[in-house]
Amino acid sequence: VPIPAPATVNKAPSAPEYPRGGETLPPQLEIFLREFNASANADDPTESLRFYAPTVDRYFGKTGLTRSEILRDRESFLQRWPERNYVMRGNPVIANREGNLIDVMMWVDYQVAKGSSQRSGSVTNHLRIRELDHRYEIVEIHEAKASAPVPAVSTVARPKSV
């Protein structure tokens, strides 16, 4: 059973608003992130491997994984959830930069299914990305359930001061 894409609503998110980093996302990094998100929908478990560093410090709660270990994890996930739909919402933002390490936040709506079993929701992905000669690789990734609707517009509002 195909999973329909979630409906897109073009309105500002309700409180709490989402943070916006002080730095503009470089176009090449935005392309990297959008392609990485699209790879989650691929049926080929190797599709997402090209985005990861040879060893990833943190990978969804696991530490020190190699690409081959990530591949095994990905294969297991695809067997558990053969039908997937991940949609990036809004624009990713740079939360911090230290040298060639860039901390990025991005919001994703997801739907996964296997037969009659289905799950859906929204998550905030936190990625640490290493920049190497105008190419990027993920060295850390973790996610948290989004506590508010993810942004549906192409700009993310700054938090209001209290």
PDB file of all heavy atoms in Angstrom, residues 45 49 66-78:
ATOM      1  N   PRO A  45      19.623   0.290   0.296  1.00  0.00           N
ATOM      2  CA  PRO A  45      20.194   0.702   1.581  1.00  0.00           C
ATOM      3  C   PRO A  45      21.546   1.402   1.462  1.00  0.00           C
ATOM      4  O   PRO A  45      21.958   2.105   2.384  1.00  0.00           O
ATOM      5  CB  PRO A  45      20.306  -0.602   2.369  1.00  0.00           C
ATOM      6  CG  PRO A  45      20.315  -1.670   1.342  1.00  0.00           C
ATOM      7  CD  PRO A  45      19.526  -1.161   0.179  1.00  0.00           C
ATOM      8  N   LEU A  49      24.666   5.935   2.273  1.00  0.00           N
ATOM      9  CA  LEU A  49      26.025   5.782   2.811  1.00  0.00           C
ATOM     10  C   LEU A  49      26.977   6.880   2.372  1.00  0.00           C
ATOM     11  O   LEU A  49      27.871   7.270   3.125  1.00  0.00           O
ATOM     12  CB  LEU A  49      26.616   4.427   2.416  1.00  0.00           C
ATOM     13  CG  LEU A  49      25.996   3.208   3.085  1.00  0.00           C
ATOM     14  CD1 LEU A  49      26.730   1.944   2.650  1.00  0.00           C
ATOM     15  CD2 LEU A  49      25.996   3.346   4.589  1.00  0.00           C
ATOM     16  N   THR A  66      30.971   2.433  11.751  1.00  0.00           N
ATOM     17  CA  THR A  66      31.563   2.529  10.416  1.00  0.00           C
ATOM     18  C   THR A  66      30.439   2.532   9.386  1.00  0.00           C
ATOM     19  O   THR A  66      29.279   2.224   9.713  1.00  0.00           O
ATOM     20  CB  THR A  66      32.492   1.332  10.142  1.00  0.00           C
ATOM     21  OG1 THR A  66      31.696   0.142  10.148  1.00  0.00           O
ATOM     22  CG2 THR A  66      33.604   1.238  11.185  1.00  0.00           C
ATOM     23  N   ARG A  67      30.780   2.829   8.153  1.00  0.00           N
ATOM     24  CA  ARG A  67      29.763   2.801   7.093  1.00  0.00           C
ATOM     25  C   ARG A  67      29.157   1.403   6.952  1.00  0.00           C
ATOM     26  O   ARG A  67      27.968   1.284   6.683  1.00  0.00           O
ATOM     27  CB  ARG A  67      30.368   3.254   5.762  1.00  0.00           C
ATOM     28  CG  ARG A  67      30.561   4.743   5.671  1.00  0.00           C
ATOM     29  CD  ARG A  67      31.017   5.135   4.281  1.00  0.00           C
ATOM     30  NE  ARG A  67      31.330   6.540   4.225  1.00  0.00           N
ATOM     31  CZ  ARG A  67      32.329   7.043   3.527  1.00  0.00           C
ATOM     32  NH1 ARG A  67      33.117   6.253   2.822  1.00  0.00           N
ATOM     33  NH2 ARG A  67      32.539   8.343   3.518  1.00  0.00           N
ATOM     34  N   SER A  68      29.960   0.362   7.113  1.00  0.00           N
ATOM     35  CA  SER A  68      29.401  -0.991   6.988  1.00  0.00           C
ATOM     36  C   SER A  68      28.412  -1.281   8.114  1.00  0.00           C
ATOM     37  O   SER A  68      27.398  -1.963   7.902  1.00  0.00           O
ATOM     38  CB  SER A  68      30.501  -2.049   6.924  1.00  0.00           C
ATOM     39  OG  SER A  68      31.268  -2.047   8.107  1.00  0.00           O
ATOM     40  N   GLU A  69      28.649  -0.758   9.302  1.00  0.00           N
ATOM     41  CA  GLU A  69      27.692  -0.931  10.402  1.00  0.00           C
ATOM     42  C   GLU A  69      26.425  -0.111  10.148  1.00  0.00           C
ATOM     43  O   GLU A  69      25.311  -0.563  10.449  1.00  0.00           O
ATOM     44  CB  GLU A  69      28.330  -0.536  11.733  1.00  0.00           C
ATOM     45  CG  GLU A  69      29.429  -1.501  12.160  1.00  0.00           C
ATOM     46  CD  GLU A  69      30.263  -0.990  13.315  1.00  0.00           C
ATOM     47  OE1 GLU A  69      30.667   0.203  13.282  1.00  0.00           O
ATOM     48  OE2 GLU A  69      30.505  -1.781  14.240  1.00  0.00           O
ATOM     49  N   ILE A  70      26.584   1.065   9.577  1.00  0.00           N
ATOM     50  CA  ILE A  70      25.428   1.880   9.210  1.00  0.00           C
ATOM     51  C   ILE A  70      24.619   1.159   8.131  1.00  0.00           C
ATOM     52  O   ILE A  70      23.385   1.137   8.183  1.00  0.00           O
ATOM     53  CB  ILE A  70      25.861   3.291   8.753  1.00  0.00           C
ATOM     54  CG1 ILE A  70      26.406   4.069   9.954  1.00  0.00           C
ATOM     55  CG2 ILE A  70      24.704   4.041   8.090  1.00  0.00           C
ATOM     56  CD1 ILE A  70      27.065   5.377   9.601  1.00  0.00           C
ATOM     57  N   LEU A  71      25.303   0.535   7.184  1.00  0.00           N
ATOM     58  CA  LEU A  71      24.618  -0.220   6.133  1.00  0.00           C
ATOM     59  C   LEU A  71      23.780  -1.345   6.743  1.00  0.00           C
ATOM     60  O   LEU A  71      22.615  -1.524   6.373  1.00  0.00           O
ATOM     61  CB  LEU A  71      25.619  -0.788   5.130  1.00  0.00           C
ATOM     62  CG  LEU A  71      25.028  -1.685   4.047  1.00  0.00           C
ATOM     63  CD1 LEU A  71      23.994  -0.939   3.208  1.00  0.00           C
ATOM     64  CD2 LEU A  71      26.137  -2.248   3.161  1.00  0.00           C
ATOM     65  N   ARG A  72      24.334  -2.094   7.672  1.00  0.00           N
ATOM     66  CA  ARG A  72      23.573  -3.177   8.324  1.00  0.00           C
ATOM     67  C   ARG A  72      22.354  -2.610   9.057  1.00  0.00           C
ATOM     68  O   ARG A  72      21.262  -3.186   8.990  1.00  0.00           O
ATOM     69  CB  ARG A  72      24.457  -3.969   9.278  1.00  0.00           C
ATOM     70  CG  ARG A  72      25.386  -4.930   8.554  1.00  0.00           C
ATOM     71  CD  ARG A  72      26.010  -5.941   9.483  1.00  0.00           C
ATOM     72  NE  ARG A  72      26.896  -5.349  10.492  1.00  0.00           N
ATOM     73  CZ  ARG A  72      28.172  -5.046  10.288  1.00  0.00           C
ATOM     74  NH1 ARG A  72      28.737  -5.285   9.120  1.00  0.00           N
ATOM     75  NH2 ARG A  72      28.895  -4.527  11.268  1.00  0.00           N
ATOM     76  N   ASP A  73      22.536  -1.490   9.745  1.00  0.00           N
ATOM     77  CA  ASP A  73      21.418  -0.863  10.440  1.00  0.00           C
ATOM     78  C   ASP A  73      20.345  -0.426   9.443  1.00  0.00           C
ATOM     79  O   ASP A  73      19.154  -0.611   9.672  1.00  0.00           O
ATOM     80  CB  ASP A  73      21.913   0.331  11.266  1.00  0.00           C
ATOM     81  CG  ASP A  73      20.794   0.950  12.079  1.00  0.00           C
ATOM     82  OD1 ASP A  73      20.421   0.355  13.106  1.00  0.00           O
ATOM     83  OD2 ASP A  73      20.301   2.028  11.674  1.00  0.00           O
ATOM     84  N   ARG A  74      20.789   0.148   8.344  1.00  0.00           N
ATOM     85  CA  ARG A  74      19.858   0.623   7.303  1.00  0.00           C
ATOM     86  C   ARG A  74      19.096  -0.550   6.683  1.00  0.00           C
ATOM     87  O   ARG A  74      17.885  -0.466   6.453  1.00  0.00           O
ATOM     88  CB  ARG A  74      20.651   1.392   6.240  1.00  0.00           C
ATOM     89  CG  ARG A  74      19.802   2.061   5.212  1.00  0.00           C
ATOM     90  CD  ARG A  74      19.154   3.322   5.734  1.00  0.00           C
ATOM     91  NE  ARG A  74      18.317   3.859   4.688  1.00  0.00           N
ATOM     92  CZ  ARG A  74      17.088   4.285   4.879  1.00  0.00           C
ATOM     93  NH1 ARG A  74      16.559   4.291   6.067  1.00  0.00           N
ATOM     94  NH2 ARG A  74      16.375   4.732   3.879  1.00  0.00           N
ATOM     95  N   GLU A  75      19.790  -1.649   6.408  1.00  0.00           N
ATOM     96  CA  GLU A  75      19.132  -2.844   5.846  1.00  0.00           C
ATOM     97  C   GLU A  75      18.050  -3.351   6.801  1.00  0.00           C
ATOM     98  O   GLU A  75      16.944  -3.699   6.379  1.00  0.00           O
ATOM     99  CB  GLU A  75      20.157  -3.946   5.579  1.00  0.00           C
ATOM    100  CG  GLU A  75      21.058  -3.649   4.408  1.00  0.00           C
ATOM    101  CD  GLU A  75      22.254  -4.592   4.314  1.00  0.00           C
ATOM    102  OE1 GLU A  75      22.646  -5.198   5.337  1.00  0.00           O
ATOM    103  OE2 GLU A  75      22.799  -4.714   3.197  1.00  0.00           O
ATOM    104  N   SER A  76      18.356  -3.384   8.078  1.00  0.00           N
ATOM    105  CA  SER A  76      17.396  -3.820   9.090  1.00  0.00           C
ATOM    106  C   SER A  76      16.180  -2.889   9.123  1.00  0.00           C
ATOM    107  O   SER A  76      15.032  -3.342   9.190  1.00  0.00           O
ATOM    108  CB  SER A  76      18.085  -3.861  10.457  1.00  0.00           C
ATOM    109  OG  SER A  76      17.158  -4.132  11.469  1.00  0.00           O
ATOM    110  N   PHE A  77      16.434  -1.579   9.058  1.00  0.00           N
ATOM    111  CA  PHE A  77      15.346  -0.604   9.075  1.00  0.00           C
ATOM    112  C   PHE A  77      14.446  -0.771   7.852  1.00  0.00           C
ATOM    113  O   PHE A  77      13.222  -0.720   7.957  1.00  0.00           O
ATOM    114  CB  PHE A  77      15.908   0.820   9.145  1.00  0.00           C
ATOM    115  CG  PHE A  77      14.841   1.861   9.330  1.00  0.00           C
ATOM    116  CD1 PHE A  77      14.352   2.150  10.592  1.00  0.00           C
ATOM    117  CD2 PHE A  77      14.332   2.539   8.238  1.00  0.00           C
ATOM    118  CE1 PHE A  77      13.349   3.102  10.771  1.00  0.00           C
ATOM    119  CE2 PHE A  77      13.332   3.491   8.403  1.00  0.00           C
ATOM    120  CZ  PHE A  77      12.841   3.776   9.668  1.00  0.00           C
ATOM    121  N   LEU A  78      15.046  -0.992   6.681  1.00  0.00           N
ATOM    122  CA  LEU A  78      14.255  -1.142   5.457  1.00  0.00           C
ATOM    123  C   LEU A  78      13.412  -2.415   5.491  1.00  0.00           C
ATOM    124  O   LEU A  78      12.305  -2.440   4.935  1.00  0.00           O
ATOM    125  CB  LEU A  78      15.151  -1.136   4.221  1.00  0.00           C
ATOM    126  CG  LEU A  78      15.894   0.173   3.931  1.00  0.00           C
ATOM    127  CD1 LEU A  78      16.708   0.061   2.652  1.00  0.00           C
ATOM    128  CD2 LEU A  78      14.938   1.347   3.868  1.00  0.00           C
TER     129      LEU A  78
END
